[in-house]
Amino acid sequence: GINAEYMGKKGREKGESSEGANDGFDPNLHGDKIDVYFKEQNGRGPDHNREQKRKKRSGKWIPRAVMVDLEPGTLDVVTASAVGKAFKPDNFVFGNSGAGNNWAKGHYTEGAEIVEQAIDVVRKEAEGSGHVQGFQIAHSLGGGTGSGLGTLLLLKIRDAYPDRLTKTYSIYPSPKVSDTVVEPYNAILATHQLLENADQTYVIDNEALYSISVNLLKEDHPTYSFLNYMISQVQMGCTASLRFSGQLNGALRKLGVTLIPFPRLPFFNIAQA
């Protein structure tokens, strides 16, 4: 859901319709880096001069995103959403059983069964891009899939691409807004994996999300889509230097060098003005 909201927002920012068609893309207005997070259906992107001259260009941009879950229901919600048609159907990888809020199921049993299929899709996306800076994962640490399978994917990506950066947007659980009693265990087990394998982790606190929604934005009953919207706003700020030309922190590695004092402390506290 976070990924779908984030990609949808980036698409609208770049002048796309909800189906990925480029209704009004203007390189001067929308920036020259649309192909950082999107790929054109029959081309490489607007910043390649030889591509600019091609007459037959589809004008349709597909997000470079892979959606992974251990149950099909949540991915069906993404498919049925306003931006669902923009995503490539082959990039949806899902199991049938779910993780039952159990980190071990996501990391060792149910998750291990589909992780190779997910990594194959990730590899195809990586091979289809000109220069891979790194990989971005959005996951929640309270449940079994986000924490268990999310960190397993991170481990596999680290094995396959040891010289590429990995960044995660990790939603940490809170006792005040908790679904299940085992959330702290899942979060601790996942954090251990993040320490070892993630280069940058952007910490999103569930309790802070709810308090901002209720106290500041006066949303009495915030929905998941509203919370995803807020997270995507912060993600847009964090990735602005990657999506638009400029001098400051124009690459993932620059961002890490500037902000990380010790290799095992890559946890960022993020905010939005």
Side-chain angles (χ1 to χ4, degrees):
I2 300 169
N3 220 352
E5 182 67 42
Y6 177 52
M7 286 297 186
K9 192 182 288 288
K10 281 198 305 237
R12 290 190 291 276
E13 179 186 75
K14 297 292 188 184
E16 284 184 15
S17 71
S18 60
E19 296 183 9
N22 208 321
D23 293 342
F25 178 76
D26 177 358
N28 300 316
L29 179 63
H30 299 119
D32 57 349
K33 290 189 175 182
I34 186 173
D35 60 340
V36 171
Y37 280 99
F38 294 89
K39 61 179 178 186
E40 194 178 10
Q41 202 161 29
N42 294 316
R44 287 183 60 194
D47 59 340
H48 297 274
N49 291 327
R50 63 182 181 280
E51 296 282 346
Q52 288 260 31
K53 295 171 185 173
R54 279 178 45 183
K55 292 180 181 177
K56 292 183 180 178
R57 291 187 59 180
S58 66
K60 182 168 182 180
W61 296 86
I62 302 165
R64 298 183 193 274
V66 182
M67 304 286 195
V68 186
D69 200 358
L70 284 175
E71 54 186 4
T74 44
L75 297 183
D76 290 341
V77 172
V78 172
T79 311
S81 69
V83 295
K85 289 181 181 175
F87 290 95
K88 191 177 172 186
D90 295 346
N91 286 13
F92 286 77
V93 181
F94 53 86
N96 293 312
S97 54
N101 290 312
N102 187 322
W103 182 86
K105 270 192 172 184
H107 199 82
Y108 290 118
T109 55
E110 311 292 346
E113 290 176 10
I114 70 162
V115 72
E116 290 303 329
Q117 184 187 349
I119 287 295
D120 282 344
V121 178
V122 170
R123 193 174 288 113
K124 280 179 193 169
E125 283 296 324
E127 286 169 0
S129 45
H131 174 71
V132 179
Q133 275 193 49
F135 299 87
Q136 172 177 308
I137 296 177
H139 62 151
S140 130
L141 301 189
T145 304
S147 63
L149 179 56
T151 52
L152 180 61
L153 269 171
L154 187 63
L155 177 65
K156 296 285 185 183
I157 287 171
R158 169 66 84 212
D159 285 344
Y161 301 93
D163 56 337
R164 296 287 173 252
L165 286 174
T166 50
K167 62 183 280 194
T168 70
Y169 290 92
S170 305
I171 303 170
Y172 274 79
S174 155
K176 286 190 180 176
V177 285
S178 172
D179 289 333
T180 55
V181 73
V182 293
E183 284 184 1
Y185 297 101
N186 294 334
I188 290 293
L189 289 162
T191 301
H192 173 69
Q193 298 287 325
L194 292 176
L195 270 172
E196 298 296 332
N197 298 313
D199 293 305
Q200 301 169 19
T201 294
Y202 295 81
V203 176
I204 300 159
D205 178 20
N206 231 350
E207 188 177 328
L209 274 181
Y210 275 93
S211 67
I212 289 167
S213 304
V214 175
N215 300 329
L216 290 179
L217 303 176
K218 307 302 179 190
E219 283 278 332
D220 292 333
H221 303 287
T223 60
Y224 281 124
S225 59
F226 183 79
L227 297 174
N228 288 344
Y229 165 78
M230 286 208 312
I231 295 168
S232 68
Q233 286 281 89
V234 182
Q235 284 180 296
M236 296 289 280
C238 293
T239 58
S241 58
L242 306 174
R243 295 176 293 110
F244 295 99
S245 294
Q247 296 296 314
L248 188 66
N249 295 334
L252 278 177
R253 202 170 295 278
K254 265 189 188 176
L255 204 64
V257 168
T258 314
L259 294 173
I260 298 172
F262 302 103
R264 287 174 66 84
L265 283 178
F267 296 93
F268 299 157
N269 193 8
I270 51 180
Q272 186 193 8

